[in-house]
Amino acid sequence: MKAFEINTTAWDEENFVILTDLNEIQIKKVIEPIVNREREHGEYYDNDSLIDALVNAYPENQFYSYTTPKLISI
C-alpha cells in the first residue's frame, strides 16, 4: 500500500490523500480524463466522485481516502 496526495486544482485545501495498492499510472488513467473534461467542458466533479471512479475502475483493489488526515502534533 502506498499513500498518494491527489492535487487537481490550484488550491491545496482541495487536495486529498488515498492509501491504495494501485500505482500512479493506474490512478492517473482514471482521474485525468475526469479533470480534463471539467477543464475543457465544465463537467463538474468533486473528490468523492474521483474516488468513486477509482473504486469502479478497480473494484478488486483497496482504497482508503482522506480529505483531512488526522494530524498528530508532538
Side-chain angles (χ1 to χ4, degrees):
M1 300 282 280
K2 292 182 183 175
F4 294 93
E5 182 173 7
I6 309 298
N7 170 269
T8 61
T9 70
W11 297 277
D12 288 341
E13 62 270 10
E14 294 186 5
N15 292 0
F16 64 98
V17 175
I18 59 172
L19 184 63
T20 182
D21 54 354
L22 295 178
N23 62 45
E24 184 175 343
I25 293 169
Q26 291 170 301
I27 295 167
K28 284 183 173 183
K29 181 179 177 181
V30 173
I31 290 179
E32 279 184 341
I34 296 168
V35 173
N36 288 338
R37 280 195 304 271
E38 189 274 336
R39 291 176 181 166
E40 295 169 8
H41 306 289
E43 291 183 29
Y44 175 79
Y45 73 87
D46 59 15
N47 291 346
D48 290 335
S49 62
L50 296 177
I51 294 164
D52 289 344
L54 286 168
V55 170
N56 289 335
Y58 300 101
E60 301 299 318
N61 293 81
Q62 296 181 355
F63 298 91
Y64 302 95
S65 63
Y66 307 93
T67 51
T68 26
K70 179 85 172 134
L71 174 65
I72 299 174
S73 295
I74 300 175

